[in-house]
């Protein structure tokens, strides 16, 4: 249970174009999804938190007009990198929190997708 | 601001050894702490989740402990195997939903 998928797993795009990454919770409903970025040999950094049906909350330093997040349903969130540049090349990982998984206030847990490798040329 | 530090940054040991990975965090007001494994170029695999009210969790050859008051957690791996080679990440749940990650420990188990 608690499987999260991402598509595509790898994408190469030209500078100036936009690319969309999908994150899906396959066997549970996710009220909240999270997007992380990981640069080579570095740890994961939270980019934004999205709740189904509402606007995403972005972390400090993350451009909301560049990284568009849509959480249109309880099983799908998308991240669109607009006007991509080589410095946007990174490993993007999403996670999802189960709507029913919060049995008590101590039981928060995020389930992670396999990641998407974005290369901007 | 919560900071998570993992020591050592890299570790190389012969197969069969028991080993300990360390994680420390600056703000003890956390909900849960989670240990992950990440293989090169891959996503995260959850290993153990320790709730704030717990002191340890065990899964197979893995044992994770949590001492909130001192801001420390350890991941103990017994009888290490070459397949355990990976980067191990420690992360704390700050404010219920926000996960703050450490930089990871890159573990190599030599046959």
């Amino acid at each position: 249970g608690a499987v999260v998928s991402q598509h595509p797993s790898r994408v190469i795009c030209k500078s100036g174009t936009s690319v969309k990454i999908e994150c899906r919770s396959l066997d549970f409903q996710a009220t909240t999804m999270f997007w992380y970025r990981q640069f080579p040999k570095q740890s994961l950094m939270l980019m934004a938190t999205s709740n189904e049906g509402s606007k995403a909350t972005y972390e400090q330093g993350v451009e909301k007009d560049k990284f568009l997040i849509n959480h249109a349903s309880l099983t799908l969130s998308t991240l669109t990198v607009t006007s991509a540049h080589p410095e946007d090349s990174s490993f993007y990982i999403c996670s999802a929190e189960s709507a029913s998984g919060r049995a008590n206030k101590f039981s928060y847990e995020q389930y992670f997708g396999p990641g998407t490798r974005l290369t901007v040329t | 601001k919560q900071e998570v530090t993992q020591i050592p940054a890299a570790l190389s040991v012969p197969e069969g050894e028991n080993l300990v990975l360390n994680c420390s965090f600056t703000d003890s007001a956390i909900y849960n702490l989670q240990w992950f494994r990440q293989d090169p170029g891959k996503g995260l695999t959850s290993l153990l989740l320790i709730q704030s009210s717990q002191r340890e969790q065990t899964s197979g050859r893995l044992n994770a402990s949590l001492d909130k008051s001192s801001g420390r957690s350890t991941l103990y791996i017994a009888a290490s195997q070459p397949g355990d080679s990976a980067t191990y990440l420690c992360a704390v749940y700050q404010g219920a939903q926000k996960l703050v990650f450490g930089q990871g420990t890159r573990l190599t188990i030599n046959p």
Side-chain angles (χ1 to χ4, degrees):
Chain A
V3 178
V4 177
S5 70
Q6 278 185 244
H7 178 79
S9 57
R10 289 178 177 271
V11 58
I12 301 173
C13 70
K14 293 186 177 181
S15 185
T17 62
S18 295
V19 60
K20 180 185 288 188
I21 302 170
E22 291 186 349
C23 176
R24 292 182 185 274
S25 56
L26 299 185
D27 53 2
F28 67 99
Q29 293 186 324
T31 51
T32 306
M33 288 186 168
F34 307 84
W35 287 95
Y36 296 83
R37 180 167 54 184
Q38 185 179 34
F39 291 108
K41 298 192 183 303
Q42 294 188 26
S43 194
L44 280 75
M45 297 295 294
L46 179 65
M47 298 175 64
T49 301
S50 74
N51 292 293
E52 184 263 339
S54 62
K55 290 184 178 181
T57 301
Y58 291 81
E59 294 298 301
Q60 191 173 8
V62 177
E63 301 174 59
K64 62 180 181 180
D65 294 330
K66 181 170 186 60
F67 298 100
L68 302 180
I69 293 172
N70 184 280
H71 191 164
S73 77
L74 285 173
T75 59
L76 174 65
S77 176
T78 60
L79 168 68
T80 301
V81 183
T82 62
S83 187
H85 292 283
E87 56 266 31
D88 298 324
S89 298
S90 187
F91 193 52
Y92 292 87
I93 304 178
C94 73
S95 70
E97 183 182 73
S98 170
S100 60
R102 202 179 302 172
N104 57 64
K105 67 176 182 178
F106 299 110
S107 63
Y108 298 103
E109 183 172 2
Q110 294 177 26
Y111 303 95
F112 284 79
T116 296
R117 174 77 57 194
L118 169 64
T119 303
V120 185
T121 61
Chain B
K1 177 187 173 185
Q2 176 75 271
E3 293 185 1
V4 180
T5 303
Q6 291 186 246
I7 295 173
L11 181 63
S12 181
V13 301
E15 180 179 4
E17 279 202 6
N18 303 323
L19 57 98
V20 175
L21 307 181
N22 296 292
C23 172
S24 62
F25 45 95
T26 54
D27 185 349
S28 62
I30 65 170
Y31 278 75
N32 299 333
L33 182 144
Q34 196 163 2
W35 283 91
F36 296 89
R37 168 187 173 135
Q38 185 175 32
D39 293 288
K42 303 294 184 181
L44 304 183
T45 299
S46 177
L47 298 174
L48 290 164
L49 172 77
I50 308 177
Q51 294 185 4
S52 176
S53 58
Q54 299 173 330
R55 292 192 62 86
E56 67 176 343
Q57 280 286 333
T58 298
S59 176
R61 294 183 293 109
L62 305 179
N63 176 277
S65 68
L66 173 62
D67 184 343
K68 276 185 60 177
S69 61
S70 67
R72 296 176 187 270
S73 175
T74 61
L75 178 67
Y76 175 82
I77 302 177
S80 58
Q81 303 170 358
D84 295 331
S85 298
T87 295
Y88 289 79
L89 295 168
C90 166
V92 299
Y93 283 80
Q94 189 73 32
Q97 288 189 318
K98 182 170 181 176
L99 260 179
V100 180
F101 283 85
Q103 296 290 335
T105 293
R106 191 169 61 255
L107 176 64
T108 303
I109 307 298
N110 302 304

XYZ file of all heavy atoms in Angstrom, chain A residues 48-121:
563
model
N 7.599 23.122 -2.224
C 6.235 23.608 -2.021
C 5.354 22.507 -1.481
O 5.635 21.323 -1.642
C 5.661 24.137 -3.333
N 4.289 22.949 -0.836
C 3.273 22.048 -0.292
C 1.960 22.371 -0.989
O 1.582 23.550 -1.085
C 3.117 22.270 1.216
O 4.373 22.038 1.851
C 2.058 21.354 1.793
N 1.287 21.345 -1.495
C 0.020 21.608 -2.172
C -1.101 20.801 -1.546
O -0.933 19.622 -1.237
C 0.133 21.290 -3.667
O 0.148 19.896 -3.912
N -2.206 21.467 -1.341
C -3.411 20.821 -0.835
C -4.448 20.786 -1.943
O -4.587 21.746 -2.701
C -3.954 21.572 0.371
C -3.040 21.458 1.568
O -2.880 20.387 2.131
N -2.412 22.549 1.951
N -5.168 19.691 -2.026
C -6.136 19.489 -3.081
C -7.137 20.629 -3.122
O -7.722 20.989 -2.088
C -6.853 18.144 -2.884
C -7.811 17.781 -3.987
C -9.242 18.141 -3.650
O -9.547 18.286 -2.457
O -10.043 18.282 -4.573
N -7.258 21.238 -4.299
C -8.236 22.283 -4.503
C -7.839 23.672 -4.055
O -8.631 24.604 -4.159
N -6.619 23.835 -3.563
C -6.205 25.168 -3.136
C -4.811 25.481 -3.680
O -4.135 24.607 -4.214
C -6.232 25.285 -1.614
O -5.331 24.377 -1.029
N -4.409 26.717 -3.513
C -3.103 27.132 -4.027
C -1.980 26.522 -3.204
O -2.111 26.320 -2.000
C -2.993 28.660 -3.994
C -3.884 29.368 -4.995
C -3.642 30.883 -4.963
C -4.507 31.576 -6.007
N -4.270 33.050 -5.998
N -0.871 26.289 -3.899
C 0.288 25.711 -3.221
C 0.980 26.759 -2.347
O 0.911 27.959 -2.612
C 1.270 25.170 -4.250
N 1.630 26.266 -1.319
C 2.440 27.121 -0.455
C 3.899 26.865 -0.785
O 4.378 25.734 -0.671
C 2.186 26.796 1.026
O 0.804 26.991 1.313
C 3.032 27.700 1.916
N 4.594 27.921 -1.181
C 5.982 27.779 -1.635
C 6.951 28.132 -0.505
O 6.698 29.045 0.296
C 6.235 28.682 -2.837
C 5.507 28.233 -4.085
C 4.160 28.540 -4.289
C 6.168 27.481 -5.060
C 3.489 28.108 -5.422
C 5.505 27.060 -6.201
C 4.165 27.374 -6.370
O 3.503 26.945 -7.492
N 8.063 27.445 -0.489
C 9.116 27.754 0.467
C 9.847 29.019 0.030
O 9.835 29.399 -1.148
C 10.091 26.583 0.583
C 9.469 25.334 1.175
C 8.973 25.540 2.591
O 9.799 25.903 3.466
O 7.772 25.335 2.824
N 10.469 29.626 1.003
C 11.207 30.854 0.728
C 12.270 30.608 -0.322
O 13.022 29.624 -0.247
C 11.849 31.362 2.023
C 12.420 32.761 1.924
C 12.897 33.272 3.275
O 12.934 32.525 4.250
N 13.262 34.537 3.330
N 12.325 31.483 -1.311
C 13.333 31.368 -2.357
C 12.888 30.582 -3.576
O 13.609 30.534 -4.574
N 11.716 29.976 -3.529
C 11.202 29.220 -4.678
C 10.224 30.111 -5.441
O 9.260 30.626 -4.861
C 10.488 27.932 -4.217
C 9.907 27.193 -5.418
C 11.455 27.044 -3.448
N 10.489 30.288 -6.731
C 9.667 31.182 -7.541
C 8.357 30.490 -7.935
O 8.365 29.533 -8.712
C 10.417 31.580 -8.809
C 11.728 32.288 -8.559
C 12.465 32.513 -9.871
O 11.894 33.189 -10.751
O 13.590 32.011 -10.018
N 7.261 31.010 -7.437
C 5.971 30.365 -7.709
C 5.547 30.515 -9.163
O 4.784 29.690 -9.682
C 4.889 30.909 -6.784
C 4.611 32.384 -6.940
C 3.516 32.808 -5.967
C 3.189 34.287 -6.118
N 2.125 34.711 -5.172
N 6.014 31.558 -9.837
C 5.647 31.731 -11.249
C 6.474 30.844 -12.159
O 6.121 30.641 -13.318
C 5.826 33.187 -11.659
C 4.858 34.104 -10.933
O 3.752 33.635 -10.594
O 5.204 35.265 -10.693
N 7.566 30.345 -11.643
C 8.415 29.472 -12.436
C 8.041 28.002 -12.227
O 8.078 27.200 -13.141
C 9.881 29.669 -12.056
C 10.835 28.807 -12.873
C 12.266 29.206 -12.630
C 13.164 28.426 -13.563
N 12.857 28.681 -14.993
N 7.706 27.677 -11.005
C 7.342 26.294 -10.653
C 5.848 26.278 -10.316
O 5.444 26.525 -9.180
C 8.183 25.809 -9.473
C 9.653 25.780 -9.748
C 10.479 26.804 -9.303
C 10.221 24.734 -10.457
C 11.849 26.781 -9.563
C 11.588 24.688 -10.713
C 12.392 25.725 -10.269
N 5.062 25.968 -11.343
C 3.611 25.971 -11.186
C 3.136 24.620 -10.675
O 3.447 23.588 -11.253
C 2.934 26.288 -12.532
C 3.316 27.616 -13.182
C 2.582 27.794 -14.498
C 3.039 28.793 -12.254
N 2.389 24.653 -9.597
C 1.899 23.417 -8.999
C 0.387 23.408 -9.023
O -0.260 24.380 -8.636
C 2.420 23.266 -7.556
C 3.938 23.056 -7.585
C 1.721 22.117 -6.835
C 4.581 23.096 -6.219
N -0.160 22.283 -9.478
C -1.595 22.094 -9.530
C -1.954 20.788 -8.846
O -1.386 19.747 -9.143
C -2.082 22.073 -10.990
C -3.586 21.968 -11.077
O -4.163 20.889 -10.943
N -4.236 23.095 -11.279
N -2.874 20.864 -7.906
C -3.300 19.659 -7.168
C -4.807 19.539 -7.366
O -5.593 19.864 -6.478
C -2.918 19.825 -5.697
C -3.064 18.578 -4.882
N -2.476 18.453 -3.652
C -3.699 17.421 -5.115
C -2.763 17.269 -3.148
N -3.497 16.622 -4.017
N -5.187 19.091 -8.558
C -6.577 19.143 -8.985
C -7.440 18.036 -8.403
O -8.661 18.161 -8.348
C -6.649 19.096 -10.509
N -6.826 16.950 -7.974
C -7.612 15.853 -7.424
C -6.865 15.242 -6.252
O -5.711 15.596 -5.983
C -7.860 14.790 -8.491
O -6.703 13.990 -8.686
N -7.514 14.329 -5.570
C -6.909 13.713 -4.393
C -5.847 12.680 -4.744
O -5.231 12.101 -3.849
C -7.992 13.057 -3.529
C -8.853 14.021 -2.718
C -9.985 13.274 -2.031
C -8.023 14.764 -1.679
N -5.633 12.454 -6.052
C -4.625 11.478 -6.447
C -3.595 12.035 -7.423
O -2.696 11.311 -7.851
C -5.276 10.234 -7.089
O -6.030 10.649 -8.231
C -6.193 9.521 -6.098
N -3.692 13.297 -7.765
C -2.786 13.846 -8.779
C -2.344 15.259 -8.448
O -3.163 16.141 -8.175
C -3.468 13.839 -10.154
C -2.708 14.518 -11.298
C -1.407 13.774 -11.590
C -3.579 14.596 -12.545
N -1.030 15.457 -8.509
C -0.455 16.789 -8.426
C 0.543 16.917 -9.569
O 1.232 15.947 -9.912
C 0.253 17.004 -7.088
O 0.903 18.271 -7.046
N 0.606 18.104 -10.164
C 1.563 18.322 -11.247
C 2.463 19.506 -10.926
O 2.036 20.476 -10.295
C 0.861 18.575 -12.593
O 0.035 19.731 -12.476
C 0.018 17.379 -12.993
N 3.704 19.380 -11.344
C 4.690 20.452 -11.233
C 5.102 20.822 -12.644
O 5.576 19.965 -13.395
C 5.901 19.989 -10.432
C 7.138 20.894 -10.467
C 6.869 22.209 -9.750
C 8.350 20.195 -9.845
N 4.907 22.067 -13.016
C 5.334 22.544 -14.330
C 6.477 23.520 -14.150
O 6.328 24.532 -13.459
C 4.181 23.223 -15.084
O 3.104 22.301 -15.242
C 4.646 23.690 -16.458
N 7.608 23.186 -14.755
C 8.756 24.082 -14.746
C 8.652 24.935 -16.007
O 8.766 24.429 -17.128
C 10.084 23.302 -14.728
C 11.267 24.260 -14.642
C 10.110 22.318 -13.562
N 8.392 26.208 -15.834
C 8.189 27.081 -16.988
C 9.497 27.751 -17.396
O 10.346 28.047 -16.543
C 7.149 28.168 -16.669
O 7.648 28.975 -15.598
C 5.827 27.550 -16.251
N 9.640 27.967 -18.699
C 10.838 28.605 -19.230
C 12.092 28.040 -18.549
O 12.862 28.768 -17.916
C 10.765 30.121 -19.034
O 11.834 30.774 -19.669
N 12.263 26.753 -18.693
C 13.353 26.065 -17.995
C 14.723 26.540 -18.460
O 14.928 26.866 -19.632
C 13.222 24.560 -18.197
N 15.655 26.570 -17.530
C 17.036 26.936 -17.808
C 17.946 25.829 -17.291
O 17.539 25.031 -16.432
C 17.381 28.278 -17.173
C 16.672 29.425 -17.795
N 17.051 29.962 -19.021
C 15.602 30.136 -17.401
C 16.244 30.959 -19.326
N 15.355 31.089 -18.375
N 19.180 25.764 -17.764
C 20.084 24.701 -17.313
C 20.218 24.597 -15.789
O 20.357 23.498 -15.254
C 21.412 25.082 -17.980
C 20.998 25.751 -19.250
C 19.766 26.537 -18.878
N 20.117 25.728 -15.091
C 20.233 25.677 -13.627
C 19.036 25.016 -12.955
O 19.072 24.725 -11.747
C 20.444 27.081 -13.044
C 19.377 28.090 -13.414
C 19.744 28.920 -14.631
O 20.463 28.412 -15.515
O 19.291 30.084 -14.686
N 17.963 24.779 -13.729
C 16.800 24.056 -13.198
C 17.004 22.543 -13.276
O 16.181 21.774 -12.747
C 15.529 24.419 -13.968
C 15.184 25.889 -13.838
O 15.404 26.467 -12.747
O 14.715 26.484 -14.827
N 18.070 22.118 -13.935
C 18.357 20.681 -14.022
C 18.553 20.135 -12.616
O 19.372 20.640 -11.843
C 19.622 20.445 -14.855
O 19.437 20.902 -16.176
N 17.800 19.116 -12.295
C 17.823 18.589 -10.938
C 16.989 17.320 -10.890
O 16.400 16.897 -11.893
C 17.252 19.635 -9.968
O 17.392 19.227 -8.627
N 16.954 16.721 -9.729
C 16.123 15.540 -9.460
C 14.927 16.044 -8.653
O 15.096 16.612 -7.570
C 16.946 14.515 -8.681
C 16.339 13.146 -8.588
C 15.924 12.481 -9.721
C 16.224 12.506 -7.364
C 15.383 11.203 -9.643
C 15.681 11.231 -7.270
C 15.265 10.578 -8.410
N 13.725 15.881 -9.203
C 12.523 16.362 -8.538
C 11.756 15.164 -7.979
O 11.460 14.202 -8.701
C 11.652 17.146 -9.519
C 12.283 18.450 -9.941
C 13.170 18.498 -11.018
C 12.021 19.630 -9.246
C 13.774 19.689 -11.391
C 12.621 20.829 -9.621
C 13.489 20.848 -10.682
O 14.094 22.027 -11.046
N 11.448 15.228 -6.697
C 10.755 14.124 -6.027
C 9.481 14.654 -5.369
O 9.505 15.698 -4.718
C 11.636 13.474 -4.937
C 12.964 12.997 -5.524
C 10.913 12.308 -4.276
C 13.894 12.395 -4.484
N 8.409 13.924 -5.539
C 7.171 14.301 -4.866
C 6.881 13.323 -3.731
O 7.419 12.211 -3.694
C 5.998 14.340 -5.836
S 5.422 12.716 -6.364
N 6.058 13.764 -2.819
C 5.576 12.875 -1.770
C 4.118 13.203 -1.505
O 3.624 14.265 -1.879
C 6.407 13.014 -0.492
O 6.159 14.262 0.129
N 3.441 12.268 -0.863
C 2.024 12.445 -0.585
C 1.707 11.978 0.825
O 2.306 11.013 1.318
C 1.195 11.651 -1.593
N 0.791 12.687 1.428
C 0.339 12.309 2.765
C -1.067 11.759 2.633
O -1.933 12.372 2.015
C 0.359 13.515 3.694
C -0.033 13.176 5.128
C -0.062 14.403 6.013
O -0.991 15.212 5.872
O 0.844 14.545 6.846
N -1.275 10.595 3.244
C -2.566 9.941 3.130
C -3.641 10.705 3.882
O -3.427 11.145 5.001
C -2.471 8.509 3.674
O -3.764 7.942 3.775
N -4.814 10.822 3.242
C -5.934 11.511 3.880
C -6.427 10.754 5.095
O -6.947 11.329 6.039
C -7.077 11.682 2.871
N -6.234 9.455 5.089
C -6.736 8.659 6.207
C -5.621 8.153 7.087
O -5.847 7.426 8.033
C -7.524 7.462 5.682
O -6.696 6.646 4.882
N -4.402 8.562 6.759
C -3.260 7.986 7.469
C -2.959 8.640 8.790
O -2.147 8.182 9.551
N -3.654 9.738 9.068
C -3.318 10.488 10.268
C -4.188 9.987 11.417
O -5.153 10.622 11.809
C -3.520 11.974 10.016
C -2.735 12.849 10.966
C -2.956 14.315 10.640
N -2.582 14.644 9.289
C -2.824 15.830 8.727
N -3.442 16.745 9.406
N -2.457 16.081 7.491
N -3.808 8.847 11.961
C -4.612 8.251 13.023
C -4.598 9.118 14.269
O -5.565 9.203 14.996
C -4.082 6.862 13.351
N -3.481 9.732 14.529
C -3.384 10.677 15.630
C -2.363 11.718 15.241
O -1.716 11.615 14.209
C -3.004 9.969 16.935
C -1.709 9.212 16.797
O -0.666 9.813 16.570
N -1.763 7.899 16.911
N -2.211 12.707 16.081
C -1.369 13.822 15.674
C 0.092 13.439 15.557
O 0.904 14.214 15.107
C -1.523 14.984 16.653
C -0.977 14.718 18.048
C -1.088 15.974 18.903
C -0.515 15.746 20.289
N -0.586 16.973 21.109
N 0.449 12.235 15.978
C 1.838 11.796 15.874
C 2.080 10.909 14.668
O 3.191 10.452 14.464
C 2.250 11.059 17.149
C 2.154 11.905 18.387
C 1.190 11.672 19.342
C 3.026 12.964 18.560
C 1.103 12.458 20.470
C 2.956 13.759 19.696
C 1.988 13.508 20.655
N 1.048 10.614 13.889
C 1.229 9.605 12.856
C 1.411 10.198 11.467
O 1.061 9.575 10.483
C 0.042 8.655 12.844
O -1.147 9.352 12.521
N 1.971 11.391 11.364
C 2.219 11.960 10.050
C 3.299 11.158 9.343
O 4.336 10.867 9.888
C 2.685 13.414 10.194
C 1.661 14.300 10.849
C 1.799 14.681 12.171
C 0.563 14.748 10.146
C 0.863 15.486 12.780
C -0.380 15.560 10.746
C -0.221 15.930 12.070
O -1.149 16.718 12.661
N 3.047 10.833 8.089
C 4.062 10.150 7.293
C 3.833 10.494 5.843
O 2.708 10.512 5.356
C 3.993 8.637 7.482
C 5.083 7.895 6.716
C 5.154 6.418 7.054
O 4.322 5.948 7.858
O 6.039 5.735 6.517
N 4.920 10.781 5.150
C 4.865 11.067 3.721
C 5.382 9.853 2.959
O 6.343 9.206 3.372
C 5.704 12.296 3.386
C 5.164 13.578 3.988
C 6.046 14.772 3.699
O 6.774 14.809 2.702
N 5.988 15.769 4.562
N 4.755 9.585 1.826
C 5.157 8.488 0.949
C 5.732 9.105 -0.322
O 5.108 9.959 -0.930
C 3.960 7.590 0.643
C 3.319 7.032 1.896
C 2.224 7.650 2.481
C 3.846 5.909 2.519
C 1.647 7.155 3.645
C 3.282 5.403 3.682
C 2.181 6.034 4.242
O 1.636 5.544 5.399
N 6.912 8.641 -0.693
C 7.668 9.299 -1.752
C 7.561 8.587 -3.095
O 7.510 7.345 -3.165
C 9.143 9.402 -1.355
C 9.402 10.488 -0.348
C 9.116 10.287 0.993
C 9.897 11.716 -0.754
C 9.326 11.296 1.924
C 10.110 12.730 0.160
C 9.826 12.522 1.498
N 7.566 9.395 -4.148
C 7.646 8.862 -5.493
C 9.082 8.542 -5.853
O 10.006 8.861 -5.110
N 9.298 7.932 -7.038
C 10.645 7.507 -7.449
C 11.495 8.630 -8.014
O 12.686 8.430 -8.268
C 10.360 6.453 -8.518
C 9.050 6.858 -9.083
C 8.268 7.446 -7.950
N 10.924 9.802 -8.208
C 11.709 10.930 -8.696
C 11.701 11.088 -10.205
O 11.451 10.143 -10.950
N 11.972 12.318 -10.638
C 12.087 12.657 -12.058
C 13.385 13.411 -12.271
O 13.629 14.429 -11.619
C 10.911 13.549 -12.511
O 9.693 12.814 -12.387
C 11.102 13.998 -13.957
N 14.200 12.891 -13.166
C 15.470 13.554 -13.491
C 15.232 14.517 -14.633
O 14.904 14.108 -15.742
C 16.516 12.509 -13.896
C 17.824 13.101 -14.394
C 18.689 13.615 -13.274
N 18.981 12.582 -12.306
C 19.495 12.830 -11.101
N 19.732 14.068 -10.728
N 19.757 11.841 -10.284
N 15.365 15.813 -14.373
C 15.187 16.840 -15.398
C 16.546 17.365 -15.837
O 17.341 17.793 -14.996
C 14.331 17.997 -14.873
C 14.270 19.254 -15.752
C 13.607 18.942 -17.090
C 13.529 20.374 -15.046
N 16.776 17.335 -17.135
C 17.989 17.906 -17.710
C 17.579 18.956 -18.729
O 16.824 18.667 -19.660
C 18.855 16.834 -18.396
O 19.166 15.802 -17.451
C 20.146 17.445 -18.923
N 18.056 20.167 -18.522
C 17.750 21.269 -19.444
C 19.016 21.602 -20.229
O 20.057 21.901 -19.635
C 17.252 22.507 -18.676
C 16.829 23.600 -19.669
C 16.089 22.149 -17.763
N 18.910 21.518 -21.544
C 20.105 21.725 -22.386
C 20.130 23.118 -23.019
O 19.107 23.817 -23.021
C 20.156 20.689 -23.510
O 18.982 20.845 -24.317
C 20.199 19.271 -22.947
